[in-house]
Structures are given as structure tokens and as C-alpha cells.
Amino acid sequence: MQILDHMRTIDMWALVFFAVVVSLYTLITDHSTLRKKSISAAMDRQRDNWMQAARFREFRMIDSSILGVLVSGISIFASTNIFVIGGLIAGLAYNEDLSTAFSSIPFAEPISPGRWAIKLSLLLGIFVYAFFKFAWAIRLANYCAITVGAMCEPEDGGTDIAAARAAAASRLAALCGHHFNRGLRANFFGLAVLGWFFSPWLFMVGTLSVVLILVRREFFSGALNAMRHTP
């Protein structure tokens, strides 16, 4: 109840709006039949094509190079999130001074130390969640690399064992992409939460804007259109 004492009614509604919108978007894009029409599903099919082709490839250095690029990209986001988390923890340690200083910014609403701490805690939770998603994606990419290394020789590529190992590698690659996508999505929604420091109305507008951007990229982007025309 002490937390609620620091929250205004409009702040509570903004937080509920954020939770509902994020939950609905996640439910639709990850757990509904619409996912089959998303760019994530299209890329999963390409991952399967990649692994099925790799089992007949004599030299698999190109597959190792691709996996290395994927791990490097995910690692950059994981490292960046660590710095963000450190900054947010420091902001919580000096919440009284920072809330007073922030209140003097033009167009920013006066904010009490209690509300400052609540908003920073939400941001901290989001970026910690994103870090764990990125870290797990790195591990899945490593598992995928090991599975690729365990593939049968090219002359045995047509066997059931080779097909099963390629399918396992494809599934691990898809899981890696899924968790990486969740981490990126969390970062996007973290940017929406920044609007809450200025106004709960800006927070809600930012949340809706992020969802519209994500929906466009997931279901109506030029990249998806290119994938639809790829056999």
C-alpha cells in the first residue's frame, strides 16, 4: 500500500494501459494464428531451409561464420543492457536529488522521489528482463553451433538421422531468434516508459506508438514482403 500512496490515479491507469497493451501484443504476435503471417515465422522457415541445406554442405565454415555474427550481434545488446541497468541502479540510489533535478526540466511534471523510484524500478525490471532474454539467446546460439558441428557427413545427408539433427539445429536457431526478439521488444517498450517521466499521457501515447511500429515491422514491412516472394 505504501507504493500506491506515491501513485496518482492517472499514473495507475497509464500503468494498467501499458500492461494490457504489452500483454495483448505479445499474445497476438507469439501465441495466435496470426503469428504464421509475421516476419518472425517467415524467418523461422528460412532458418529451417538453412539447416536443411547445411546437412548436404561439404564445408560448413559459412554456417559457423553466420552463427558467429549472430552471437556477436546479440552480445552487443546484452552488454549495452548491463550499462543501462547499472545507470538505473545508480538513479535509484540518488532518487531524491535526481527527481528534484528532473522536475526543473521544461515540459516535465514535478515528480516526487517516491514516484521517481517507482518509474525507475519499472524501467529497471524491463531492462533486466531484456538482459536475461539476450543472455539466453546467446546460449541457444551456442547450442545451435554445437548441433551444427554434430551434423552427419555430407554423404549421409539424406539419412533420417541427418534430417533429425538438422531439424534440431533449426529449432534451436528459431528459439534463439525468438528470445532475441523478446529482448529487443522489451528495449522498445523501455523507451515508451521514458515518456512516463514527463507525463502519464505521454507514456500511453508512447506505448501505443511503439506497438504500432512493432506491428508494422512484424506484419507489414518490406522485409516481410521480400520473404513472401522467397521460395
Side-chain angles (χ1 to χ4, degrees):
M1 292 301 294
Q2 290 181 350
I3 294 178
L4 296 180
D5 291 340
H6 295 290
M7 298 284 283
R8 301 174 303 176
T9 302
I10 185 60
D11 288 310
M12 291 295 297
W13 279 113
L15 192 57
V16 170
F17 178 81
F18 175 78
V20 170
V21 169
V22 172
S23 299
L24 284 176
Y25 176 79
T26 302
L27 181 66
I28 292 171
T29 55
D30 292 346
H31 304 289
S32 73
T33 55
L34 287 176
R35 188 185 186 282
K36 296 179 180 179
K37 300 180 179 180
S38 68
I39 191 170
S40 297
M43 293 311 301
D44 285 346
R45 291 190 289 271
Q46 293 302 317
R47 290 183 180 99
D48 188 58
N49 292 339
W50 169 24
M51 294 304 170
Q52 293 302 325
R55 65 185 171 121
F56 294 104
R57 207 176 346 258
E58 183 176 359
F59 301 105
R60 297 189 178 120
M61 286 87 76
I62 183 173
D63 306 298
S64 301
S65 298
I66 294 171
L67 286 167
V69 170
L70 293 177
V71 172
S72 298
I74 301 170
S75 299
I76 290 174
F77 282 96
S79 301
T80 302
N81 272 41
I82 283 292
F83 290 116
V84 173
I85 290 169
L88 291 172
I89 292 175
L92 284 171
Y94 298 96
N95 64 321
E96 291 188 7
D97 296 333
L98 291 176
S99 63
T100 301
F102 187 85
S103 298
S104 63
I105 296 177
F107 309 110
E109 293 184 344
I111 181 171
S112 66
R115 278 195 291 138
W116 174 269
I118 292 171
K119 295 175 182 182
L120 273 187
S121 297
L122 176 59
L123 266 182
L124 179 61
I126 290 173
F127 282 100
V128 167
Y129 168 84
F131 171 76
F132 276 104
K133 285 297 181 181
F134 291 138
W136 183 234
I138 292 173
R139 290 193 66 180
L140 287 170
N142 288 325
Y143 297 157
C144 182
I146 294 170
T147 309
V148 170
M151 282 184 178
C152 300
E153 295 298 321
E155 56 268 21
D156 298 322
T159 63
D160 292 340
I161 294 177
R165 291 181 181 180
S170 171
R171 180 58 181 157
L172 286 171
L175 285 171
C176 173
H178 170 75
H179 286 278
F180 178 60
N181 189 40
R182 283 290 190 92
L184 281 178
R185 189 184 304 169
N187 279 1
F188 280 122
F189 282 116
L191 295 177
V193 175
L194 291 177
W196 196 15
F197 289 86
F198 293 90
S199 166
W201 296 106
L202 187 58
F203 179 25
M204 288 187 280
V205 171
T207 301
L208 194 58
S209 299
V210 167
V211 168
L212 291 175
I213 291 171
L214 292 177
V215 167
R216 182 189 178 280
R217 292 181 177 178
E218 194 73 26
F219 297 100
F220 304 101
S221 65
L224 177 58
N225 189 52
M227 288 297 100
R228 283 174 177 162
H229 293 87
T230 301

